Amino acid sequence: MSHVFCALHDQALKLSRQYLACEKALLEVLVKIEAKKVYLEQGYASLTEYSQKALGLSRDVSWNLVTIVHKSKAVPELKQAVQMGVIPLSKARQIAPHLTKENSQKFIALAQAMPREKLQEALAKECPKIPSVEERARVINATQAELSLCLPKEVMEEIRRAQDRVSESQKKWVGLAETLEQVVEFYLQHKDLKEKARRHEVRKSKAPVSVEQSRRTVRESDAAARNSEFNFRHINKPRTKIQTNGRIPIPAGIKHEVIIKNAHQCTYQDPRTQLRCDKERFLHIHHKISVAMGGTNALENLTLLCSAHHRLEHYQSSG
Ligand SMILES: [Zn+2]
Ligand SMILES: [Zn+2]
Protein backbone atom coordinates (compact mmCIF):
# COMPACT_ATOMS: atom_id res chain seq x y z
CA MET A 1 0.00 0.00 0.00
CA SER A 2 1.36 3.41 -0.95
CA HIS A 3 1.92 6.14 1.62
CA VAL A 4 -0.49 8.43 -0.25
CA PHE A 5 -3.27 5.85 -0.10
CA CYS A 6 -2.65 5.13 3.58
CA ALA A 7 -2.81 8.80 4.48
CA LEU A 8 -5.96 9.45 2.43
CA HIS A 9 -7.61 6.26 3.70
CA ASP A 10 -6.95 7.23 7.33
CA GLN A 11 -8.45 10.64 6.67
CA ALA A 12 -11.53 9.17 4.93
CA LEU A 13 -12.03 6.62 7.70
CA LYS A 14 -11.86 9.28 10.40
CA LEU A 15 -14.32 11.52 8.57
CA SER A 16 -16.76 8.73 7.79
CA ARG A 17 -16.82 7.78 11.47
CA GLN A 18 -17.60 11.38 12.33
CA TYR A 19 -20.24 11.43 9.59
CA LEU A 20 -21.99 8.33 10.94
CA ALA A 21 -21.81 9.67 14.49
CA CYS A 22 -23.36 12.94 13.28
CA GLU A 23 -26.15 11.05 11.55
CA LYS A 24 -27.01 9.27 14.80
CA ALA A 25 -26.86 12.49 16.82
CA LEU A 26 -29.06 14.25 14.27
CA LEU A 27 -31.63 11.45 14.50
CA GLU A 28 -31.70 11.87 18.27
CA VAL A 29 -32.34 15.63 17.99
CA LEU A 30 -35.03 15.15 15.32
CA VAL A 31 -36.85 12.69 17.61
CA LYS A 32 -36.96 15.44 20.28
CA ILE A 33 -38.05 18.08 17.77
CA GLU A 34 -40.86 15.86 16.50
CA ALA A 35 -41.99 15.00 20.06
CA LYS A 36 -42.56 18.71 20.81
CA LYS A 37 -43.37 19.71 17.21
CA VAL A 38 -41.31 22.86 17.75
CA TYR A 39 -41.00 23.39 13.98
CA LEU A 40 -44.62 24.63 14.00
CA GLU A 41 -43.49 27.70 15.98
CA GLN A 42 -41.15 28.57 13.13
CA GLY A 43 -43.84 28.16 10.49
CA TYR A 44 -42.77 24.76 9.17
CA ALA A 45 -45.72 22.46 8.64
CA SER A 46 -43.92 19.15 9.22
CA LEU A 47 -40.63 17.60 10.23
CA THR A 48 -39.98 16.82 6.56
CA GLU A 49 -40.42 20.44 5.54
CA TYR A 50 -38.30 21.62 8.47
CA SER A 51 -35.45 19.20 7.74
CA GLN A 52 -35.34 20.16 4.06
CA LYS A 53 -35.92 23.90 4.25
CA ALA A 54 -34.39 24.84 7.60
CA LEU A 55 -31.63 22.21 7.79
CA GLY A 56 -30.92 21.99 4.08
CA LEU A 57 -31.02 18.19 3.97
CA SER A 58 -31.69 16.52 0.63
CA ARG A 59 -35.09 14.96 -0.04
CA ASP A 60 -33.68 11.43 0.32
CA VAL A 61 -31.72 12.06 3.52
CA SER A 62 -34.62 13.85 5.18
CA TRP A 63 -37.05 11.15 4.03
CA ASN A 64 -34.84 8.46 5.59
CA LEU A 65 -34.51 10.28 8.90
CA VAL A 66 -38.17 11.30 9.14
CA THR A 67 -39.38 7.76 8.36
CA ILE A 68 -37.26 6.41 11.22
CA VAL A 69 -38.37 9.20 13.59
CA HIS A 70 -42.05 8.47 12.90
CA LYS A 71 -41.68 4.69 13.14
CA SER A 72 -39.70 5.03 16.37
CA LYS A 73 -42.78 6.49 18.07
CA ALA A 74 -44.49 3.11 17.77
CA VAL A 75 -41.35 0.96 17.82
CA PRO A 76 -38.65 2.67 19.95
CA GLU A 77 -36.40 -0.37 19.41
CA LEU A 78 -35.66 0.94 15.92
CA LYS A 79 -34.18 4.20 17.15
CA GLN A 80 -32.26 2.36 19.86
CA ALA A 81 -30.75 -0.04 17.30
CA VAL A 82 -29.44 2.93 15.29
CA GLN A 83 -28.21 4.75 18.41
CA MET A 84 -26.30 1.72 19.61
CA GLY A 85 -24.74 1.19 16.20
CA VAL A 86 -26.46 -2.19 15.74
CA ILE A 87 -27.73 -1.18 12.28
CA PRO A 88 -26.91 1.76 10.01
CA LEU A 89 -29.52 4.37 9.15
CA SER A 90 -29.94 3.05 5.59
CA LYS A 91 -31.02 -0.37 6.83
CA ALA A 92 -33.23 1.13 9.54
CA ARG A 93 -34.99 3.01 6.72
CA GLN A 94 -35.34 -0.22 4.74
CA ILE A 95 -37.05 -2.17 7.51
CA ALA A 96 -38.99 0.78 9.01
CA PRO A 97 -42.13 0.56 6.83
CA HIS A 98 -42.63 -3.10 7.75
CA LEU A 99 -41.68 -2.94 11.41
CA THR A 100 -44.14 -3.71 14.21
CA LYS A 101 -43.70 -4.20 17.95
CA GLU A 102 -44.02 -7.95 17.36
CA ASN A 103 -41.47 -8.39 14.57
CA SER A 104 -38.99 -5.67 15.58
CA GLN A 105 -36.47 -7.96 17.27
CA LYS A 106 -36.44 -10.38 14.36
CA PHE A 107 -36.22 -7.70 11.64
CA ILE A 108 -33.49 -5.75 13.42
CA ALA A 109 -31.47 -8.98 13.76
CA LEU A 110 -31.96 -9.68 10.03
CA ALA A 111 -30.86 -6.14 9.17
CA GLN A 112 -27.80 -6.58 11.31
CA ALA A 113 -26.81 -9.86 9.70
CA MET A 114 -27.48 -9.22 6.00
CA PRO A 115 -26.43 -6.90 3.17
CA ARG A 116 -29.19 -4.68 1.74
CA GLU A 117 -30.22 -6.85 -1.24
CA LYS A 118 -30.35 -10.06 0.81
CA LEU A 119 -32.28 -8.19 3.50
CA GLN A 120 -35.01 -7.23 1.04
CA GLU A 121 -35.37 -10.89 0.01
CA ALA A 122 -35.48 -12.01 3.64
CA LEU A 123 -38.15 -9.39 4.46
CA ALA A 124 -40.21 -10.62 1.51
CA LYS A 125 -39.94 -14.19 2.79
CA GLU A 126 -41.05 -13.15 6.27
CA CYS A 127 -44.01 -11.12 5.03
CA PRO A 128 -45.37 -12.29 1.66
CA LYS A 129 -46.85 -8.83 1.02
CA ILE A 130 -43.43 -7.17 0.94
CA PRO A 131 -42.00 -7.20 -2.58
CA SER A 132 -38.58 -8.80 -3.01
CA VAL A 133 -37.49 -5.76 -5.04
CA GLU A 134 -37.71 -2.29 -3.54
CA GLU A 135 -40.07 0.04 -5.42
CA ARG A 136 -38.12 2.78 -7.10
CA ALA A 137 -39.03 5.70 -9.33
CA ARG A 138 -36.37 8.07 -10.57
CA VAL A 139 -36.23 10.81 -13.13
CA ILE A 140 -33.63 9.94 -15.77
CA ASN A 141 -33.87 12.95 -18.07
CA ALA A 142 -36.03 15.99 -18.80
CA THR A 143 -38.93 13.95 -20.15
CA GLN A 144 -38.58 10.44 -18.77
CA ALA A 145 -38.58 8.53 -15.50
CA GLU A 146 -37.65 4.96 -14.72
CA LEU A 147 -39.93 2.82 -12.59
CA SER A 148 -39.04 -0.52 -11.07
CA LEU A 149 -41.44 -2.50 -8.95
CA CYS A 150 -42.56 -5.98 -8.09
CA LEU A 151 -46.07 -7.16 -9.04
CA PRO A 152 -48.12 -10.25 -8.29
CA LYS A 153 -48.00 -12.57 -11.33
CA GLU A 154 -51.76 -12.27 -11.90
CA VAL A 155 -51.54 -8.48 -12.06
CA MET A 156 -48.80 -8.79 -14.68
CA GLU A 157 -51.09 -11.05 -16.72
CA GLU A 158 -53.83 -8.43 -16.46
CA ILE A 159 -51.45 -5.73 -17.63
CA ARG A 160 -50.62 -7.93 -20.63
CA ARG A 161 -54.35 -8.21 -21.37
CA ALA A 162 -54.68 -4.43 -21.13
CA GLN A 163 -51.67 -4.18 -23.46
CA ASP A 164 -53.53 -6.37 -26.02
CA ARG A 165 -56.64 -4.17 -25.78
CA VAL A 166 -54.65 -0.94 -26.18
CA SER A 167 -52.74 -2.46 -29.13
CA GLU A 168 -56.05 -3.49 -30.75
CA SER A 169 -57.59 -0.05 -30.35
CA GLN A 170 -54.51 1.67 -31.77
CA LYS A 171 -54.07 -0.97 -34.52
CA LYS A 172 -50.35 -1.31 -33.74
CA TRP A 173 -48.14 -2.99 -31.16
CA VAL A 174 -47.99 -0.91 -28.00
CA GLY A 175 -45.31 -1.29 -25.31
CA LEU A 176 -45.82 -1.57 -21.55
CA ALA A 177 -44.98 2.09 -20.91
CA GLU A 178 -47.66 3.30 -23.32
CA THR A 179 -50.14 0.74 -21.96
CA LEU A 180 -49.57 2.05 -18.46
CA GLU A 181 -49.99 5.61 -19.72
CA GLN A 182 -53.39 4.71 -21.22
CA VAL A 183 -54.53 2.80 -18.14
CA VAL A 184 -53.54 5.65 -15.81
CA GLU A 185 -55.26 8.22 -18.02
CA PHE A 186 -58.44 6.12 -18.03
CA TYR A 187 -58.33 5.72 -14.25
CA LEU A 188 -57.81 9.43 -13.61
CA GLN A 189 -60.67 10.32 -15.94
CA HIS A 190 -62.95 8.31 -13.69
CA LYS A 191 -61.43 8.74 -10.25
CA ASP A 192 -59.48 11.98 -10.13
CA LEU A 193 -61.33 14.81 -8.39
CA LYS A 194 -59.53 17.42 -10.48
CA GLU A 195 -60.88 15.82 -13.65
CA LYS A 196 -64.33 15.41 -12.07
CA ALA A 197 -64.32 19.05 -11.05
CA ARG A 198 -63.37 20.05 -14.61
CA ARG A 199 -66.31 18.04 -15.98
CA HIS A 200 -68.55 19.65 -13.38
CA GLU A 201 -67.49 23.04 -14.81
CA VAL A 202 -68.27 21.89 -18.36
CA ARG A 203 -71.71 20.63 -17.28
CA LYS A 204 -72.42 23.92 -15.51
CA SER A 205 -71.51 25.98 -18.57
CA LYS A 206 -73.90 23.98 -20.80
CA ALA A 207 -77.55 24.92 -21.46
CA PRO A 208 -79.95 24.77 -18.49
CA VAL A 209 -80.75 21.23 -17.45
CA SER A 210 -84.00 19.70 -16.26
CA VAL A 211 -84.68 19.43 -12.54
CA GLU A 212 -84.28 15.64 -12.64
CA GLN A 213 -80.95 15.95 -14.47
CA SER A 214 -79.60 18.48 -12.01
CA ARG A 215 -80.66 16.29 -9.08
CA ARG A 216 -78.76 13.41 -10.65
CA THR A 217 -75.68 15.59 -11.11
CA VAL A 218 -75.70 16.53 -7.44
CA ARG A 219 -76.17 12.87 -6.43
CA GLU A 220 -73.29 11.82 -8.71
CA SER A 221 -70.94 14.49 -7.43
CA ASP A 222 -71.85 13.73 -3.82
CA ALA A 223 -71.10 10.07 -4.41
CA ALA A 224 -67.86 11.04 -6.13
CA ALA A 225 -66.81 13.12 -3.16
CA ARG A 226 -67.58 10.22 -0.82
CA ASN A 227 -65.81 7.63 -2.95
CA SER A 228 -62.81 9.71 -3.71
CA GLU A 229 -59.48 8.58 -2.33
CA PHE A 230 -58.74 12.28 -1.81
CA ASN A 231 -59.67 13.12 1.69
CA PHE A 232 -61.58 16.37 1.85
CA ARG A 233 -62.30 17.20 5.39
CA HIS A 234 -62.02 19.95 7.86
CA ILE A 235 -60.07 19.56 11.09
CA ASN A 236 -63.10 20.70 13.06
CA LYS A 237 -65.54 18.72 10.94
CA PRO A 238 -68.48 17.66 13.08
CA ARG A 239 -68.71 13.92 13.63
CA THR A 240 -72.22 13.77 15.01
CA LYS A 241 -75.42 15.77 14.85
CA ILE A 242 -74.91 16.94 18.42
CA GLN A 243 -71.57 18.54 17.56
CA THR A 244 -72.72 20.40 14.44
CA ASN A 245 -73.46 23.73 16.18
CA GLY A 246 -75.40 24.74 13.12
CA ARG A 247 -72.49 24.09 10.74
CA ILE A 248 -73.69 23.45 7.19
CA PRO A 249 -71.77 20.89 5.11
CA ILE A 250 -70.01 22.33 2.05
CA PRO A 251 -72.06 21.40 -1.04
CA ALA A 252 -70.28 19.13 -3.56
CA GLY A 253 -70.58 21.77 -6.29
CA ILE A 254 -68.74 24.33 -4.16
CA LYS A 255 -66.06 21.75 -3.31
CA HIS A 256 -65.48 21.23 -7.02
CA GLU A 257 -65.22 24.96 -7.56
CA VAL A 258 -62.66 25.28 -4.76
CA ILE A 259 -60.59 22.56 -6.48
CA ILE A 260 -60.82 24.20 -9.91
CA LYS A 261 -60.05 27.66 -8.55
CA ASN A 262 -56.92 26.43 -6.78
CA ALA A 263 -55.80 24.02 -9.51
CA HIS A 264 -56.06 21.03 -7.15
CA GLN A 265 -53.00 22.14 -5.22
CA CYS A 266 -52.29 23.33 -1.69
CA THR A 267 -52.45 27.14 -1.62
CA TYR A 268 -49.98 27.69 1.22
CA GLN A 269 -47.28 30.15 0.34
CA ASP A 270 -43.98 29.94 2.19
CA PRO A 271 -43.44 33.42 3.69
CA ARG A 272 -39.65 32.92 3.40
CA THR A 273 -39.43 31.95 -0.27
CA GLN A 274 -42.86 33.07 -1.52
CA LEU A 275 -43.11 29.63 -3.17
CA ARG A 276 -46.45 27.86 -3.20
CA CYS A 277 -46.65 24.36 -1.67
CA ASP A 278 -46.73 21.78 -4.48
CA LYS A 279 -48.78 19.10 -2.66
CA GLU A 280 -51.70 17.72 -4.67
CA ARG A 281 -52.50 14.88 -2.28
CA PHE A 282 -54.58 14.63 0.89
CA LEU A 283 -55.99 18.11 0.41
CA HIS A 284 -58.42 19.63 2.88
CA ILE A 285 -60.88 22.43 2.35
CA HIS A 286 -60.21 25.21 4.84
CA HIS A 287 -62.40 28.15 5.88
CA LYS A 288 -60.28 31.33 5.70
CA ILE A 289 -62.61 32.89 8.28
CA SER A 290 -63.58 30.03 10.56
CA VAL A 291 -67.21 29.02 10.94
CA ALA A 292 -66.95 29.88 14.64
CA MET A 293 -66.03 33.47 13.67
CA GLY A 294 -68.95 33.69 11.26
CA GLY A 295 -67.17 32.37 8.15
CA THR A 296 -69.45 30.83 5.52
CA ASN A 297 -69.25 28.16 2.82
CA ALA A 298 -68.99 30.85 0.14
CA LEU A 299 -66.31 30.15 -2.46
CA GLU A 300 -64.32 33.27 -1.46
CA ASN A 301 -64.05 31.98 2.10
CA LEU A 302 -62.75 28.54 1.13
CA THR A 303 -59.30 27.41 0.13
CA LEU A 304 -57.30 24.20 -0.35
CA LEU A 305 -54.55 23.15 2.04
CA CYS A 306 -52.53 19.95 2.32
CA SER A 307 -52.93 18.17 5.67
CA ALA A 308 -49.62 19.52 7.05
CA HIS A 309 -50.30 23.13 6.10
CA HIS A 310 -53.89 22.83 7.31
CA ARG A 311 -52.55 21.82 10.72
CA LEU A 312 -50.03 24.69 10.62
CA GLU A 313 -52.73 27.22 9.66
CA HIS A 314 -54.87 26.19 12.64
CA TYR A 315 -51.82 26.11 14.95
CA GLN A 316 -50.95 29.69 13.92
CA SER A 317 -54.50 31.01 14.12
CA SER A 318 -55.01 29.47 17.57
CA GLY A 319 -51.77 30.74 19.04
ZN1 LIG B 1 -59.37 24.59 8.45
ZN1 LIG C 1 -49.19 22.42 1.63
Side-chain angles (χ1 to χ4, degrees), residues 45 49 265-268 276-279 283 304-310:
E49 191 183 315
Q265 187 184 331
C266 175
T267 56
Y268 183 84
R276 180 176 169 180
C277 170
D278 60 1
K279 291 277 181 316
L283 299 174
L304 276 185
L305 290 173
C306 69
S307 53
H309 284 127
H310 196 190

Coordinates of all heavy atoms in Angstrom, one line a residue, residues 45 49 265-268 276-279 283 304-310, ligand 2:
A45 N -44.5 23.3 8.4 CA -45.7 22.5 8.6 C -45.4 21.0 9.1 O -46.3 20.4 9.7 CB -46.5 22.4 7.3
E49 N -40.6 19.1 6.1 CA -40.4 20.4 5.5 C -39.3 21.2 6.3 O -38.4 21.8 5.7 CB -41.7 21.2 5.6 CG -41.7 22.5 4.9 CD -43.0 23.4 5.0 OE1 -44.1 22.8 4.9 OE2 -42.8 24.6 5.2
Q265 N -54.3 22.1 -5.8 CA -53.0 22.1 -5.2 C -53.1 23.0 -3.9 O -53.9 23.9 -3.9 CB -52.1 22.8 -6.2 CG -50.6 22.8 -5.8 CD -49.8 23.6 -6.8 OE1 -50.1 23.7 -8.0 NE2 -48.7 24.2 -6.3
C266 N -52.3 22.6 -3.0 CA -52.3 23.3 -1.7 C -52.0 24.8 -2.0 O -51.1 25.1 -2.8 CB -51.2 22.7 -0.8 SG -51.0 23.6 0.8
T267 N -52.6 25.7 -1.3 CA -52.5 27.1 -1.6 C -51.5 27.8 -0.7 O -51.2 29.0 -0.8 CB -53.8 27.9 -1.5 OG1 -54.3 27.7 -0.2 CG2 -54.8 27.4 -2.5
Y268 N -50.9 27.1 0.2 CA -50.0 27.7 1.2 C -48.8 28.3 0.5 O -48.1 27.6 -0.3 CB -49.5 26.6 2.3 CG -48.7 27.2 3.3 CD1 -49.2 27.9 4.4 CD2 -47.3 27.2 3.2 CE1 -48.4 28.4 5.4 CE2 -46.5 27.7 4.2 CZ -47.1 28.3 5.3 OH -46.3 28.9 6.3
R276 N -45.2 28.5 -3.6 CA -46.5 27.9 -3.2 C -46.2 26.4 -3.0 O -45.4 25.8 -3.7 CB -47.5 28.0 -4.3 CG -48.8 27.4 -4.1 CD -49.8 27.7 -5.2 NE -51.0 26.8 -5.0 CZ -52.0 26.9 -5.9 NH1 -52.0 27.7 -6.9 NH2 -53.0 26.1 -5.7
C277 N -46.8 25.8 -2.0 CA -46.7 24.4 -1.7 C -47.1 23.6 -2.9 O -48.1 23.9 -3.5 CB -47.5 24.0 -0.4 SG -47.6 22.2 -0.1
D278 N -46.4 22.5 -3.2 CA -46.7 21.8 -4.5 C -47.6 20.5 -4.2 O -47.8 19.7 -5.1 CB -45.5 21.4 -5.3 CG -44.5 20.5 -4.5 OD1 -44.9 20.2 -3.3 OD2 -43.4 20.2 -5.0
K279 N -48.0 20.3 -3.0 CA -48.8 19.1 -2.7 C -50.1 19.0 -3.4 O -50.9 20.0 -3.4 CB -49.0 19.0 -1.2 CG -47.8 18.8 -0.3 CD -47.5 17.3 -0.3 CE -46.2 17.0 0.6 NZ -45.1 17.9 0.4
L283 N -55.6 16.7 0.3 CA -56.0 18.1 0.4 C -57.2 18.3 1.3 O -58.1 17.4 1.2 CB -56.2 18.7 -1.0 CG -55.0 18.7 -1.9 CD1 -55.4 19.2 -3.3 CD2 -53.8 19.5 -1.3
L304 N -57.8 25.6 -0.4 CA -57.3 24.2 -0.4 C -56.0 24.2 0.4 O -55.1 25.0 0.0 CB -57.1 23.7 -1.8 CG -58.2 23.1 -2.6 CD1 -57.6 22.5 -3.9 CD2 -58.9 22.0 -1.8
L305 N -55.8 23.3 1.3 CA -54.6 23.1 2.0 C -54.2 21.7 2.2 O -55.1 20.8 2.4 CB -54.6 23.8 3.4 CG -54.8 25.3 3.5 CD1 -55.0 25.7 5.0 CD2 -53.5 26.0 3.0
C306 N -52.9 21.3 2.1 CA -52.5 20.0 2.3 C -52.7 19.7 3.8 O -52.8 20.7 4.6 CB -51.1 19.7 1.8 SG -49.8 20.5 2.8
S307 N -52.6 18.5 4.3 CA -52.9 18.2 5.7 C -51.9 18.9 6.6 O -52.3 19.4 7.6 CB -53.0 16.7 5.9 OG -51.8 16.1 5.4
A308 N -50.6 18.9 6.2 CA -49.6 19.5 7.1 C -49.8 21.0 7.2 O -49.8 21.6 8.3 CB -48.2 19.2 6.5
H309 N -50.1 21.7 6.0 CA -50.3 23.1 6.1 C -51.6 23.5 6.7 O -51.8 24.6 7.3 CB -50.1 23.8 4.7 CG -48.7 23.9 4.3 ND1 -48.2 23.4 3.1 CD2 -47.6 24.4 5.0 CE1 -46.9 23.6 3.1 NE2 -46.5 24.2 4.2
H310 N -52.6 22.6 6.6 CA -53.9 22.8 7.3 C -53.7 22.9 8.8 O -54.1 23.7 9.5 CB -54.9 21.7 6.9 CG -56.3 22.1 7.3 ND1 -57.3 21.2 7.2 CD2 -56.9 23.3 7.7 CE1 -58.5 21.8 7.5 NE2 -58.2 23.1 7.8
Ligands
ZN2 ZN -49.2 22.4 1.6

